[in-house]
Amino acid sequence: GAVVSQHPSRVICKSGTSVKIECRSLDFQATTMFWYRQFPKQSLMLMATSNEGSKATYEQGVEKDKFLINHASLTLSTLTVTSAHPEDSSFYICSASLQGLSYEQYFGPGTRLTVT
Amino acid sequence: DAKTTQPNSMESNEEEPVHLPCNHSTISGTDYIHWYRQLPSQGPEYVIHGLTSNVNNRMASLAIAEDRKSSTLILHRATLRDAAVYYCIPLANQAGTALIFGKGTTLSVSS
């Protein structure tokens, strides 16, 4: 099956610093990637849709200047949390949609961000 | 987006079948019904999807009501590794459409 990786799997940073999370589709090309975050005991919340070569589309309430998304190639999307604060601590998950007729989505293993 | 209703939680014993229901009465006529599951501290995992006919794969079966307003995910023999949150999600069959997650059903499996 299709594999999506995320790096790092876990990161701890100090308040005010920026953190970059990478999402890679390892064995397929992904025109579209999605970023979600998940707070403890809650469901996944869609943050943004990332299309290769174009600007990301952010969901209502998600600050585009705080959560910078870059989708520079068909296999890599990055999410940068700028000026992180403790309330940004969360589980960040990306997914990639297979190009073509199948619209199954494949999820990365997630990145646990803790801001101290 | 079509609204879905799932039980908050269900329990099962190992080796027994599990039927996970989902109501999606406002589903669009062209939306597929997708099921994903999320094990603790992991990203979600695709389980199965269908449009009108019942579907089977190595993980599960999907039974879709004739009026498409509900569906049931069937795990034929639950194992401890099937303990997860199961999400039923209507999804338009077009590129670039995001999965919108509801609260899902937390399945517990006892040995």
Side-chain angles (χ1 to χ4, degrees), chain B residues 5-20:
Chain B
T5 303
Q6 297 179 253
N8 288 332
S9 62
M10 292 185 66
E11 297 180 353
S12 174
N13 294 316
E14 243 186 325
E15 303 296 312
E16 290 184 356
V18 181
H19 291 230
L20 297 161

Side-chain angles (χ1 to χ4, degrees), chain A residues 62-114:
Chain A
V62 178
E63 299 175 56
K64 63 180 181 180
D65 294 330
K66 181 170 182 61
F67 298 99
L68 302 179
I69 292 171
N70 183 275
H71 192 161
S73 77
L74 286 172
T75 59
L76 173 65
S77 177
T78 60
L79 167 68
T80 301
V81 183
T82 62
S83 187
H85 290 283
E87 56 266 31
D88 298 324
S89 299
S90 189
F91 193 46
Y92 291 86
I93 307 168
C94 71
S95 72
S97 181
L98 276 169
Q99 216 174 3
L101 296 178
S102 169
Y103 299 109
E104 300 164 23
Q105 291 184 23
Y106 295 88
F107 287 80
T111 296
R112 178 77 58 193
L113 170 63
T114 303

Side-chain angles (χ1 to χ4, degrees), chain A residues 36 38 43-44 46 103 105 107-108, chain B residues 36 38 44 93 95 97 99 102:
Chain A
Y36 296 83
Q38 185 175 32
S43 187
L44 284 80
L46 178 67
Y103 299 109
Q105 291 184 23
F107 287 80
Chain B
Y36 284 76
Q38 185 180 25
N93 198 43
T97 304
L99 288 164

Side-chain angles (χ1 to χ4, degrees), chain B residues 29-45:
Chain B
T30 54
D31 282 354
Y32 279 69
I33 299 152
H34 285 241
W35 283 80
Y36 284 76
R37 71 179 185 182
Q38 185 180 25
L39 279 65
S41 299
Q42 295 186 29
E45 173 186 30

Side-chain angles (χ1 to χ4, degrees), chain B residues 25-74:
Chain B
S25 58
T26 60
I27 191 171
S28 161
T30 54
D31 282 354
Y32 279 69
I33 299 152
H34 285 241
W35 283 80
Y36 284 76
R37 71 179 185 182
Q38 185 180 25
L39 279 65
S41 299
Q42 295 186 29
E45 173 186 30
Y46 167 81
V47 178
I48 200 166
H49 76 284
L51 183 63
T52 55
S53 304
N54 294 344
V55 184
N56 299 296
N57 66 19
R58 64 175 180 81
M59 289 181 69
S61 295
L62 177 60
I64 301 171
E66 199 169 330
D67 62 6
R68 291 191 5 104
K69 293 184 176 180
S70 65
S71 61
T72 301
L73 179 71
I74 303 164

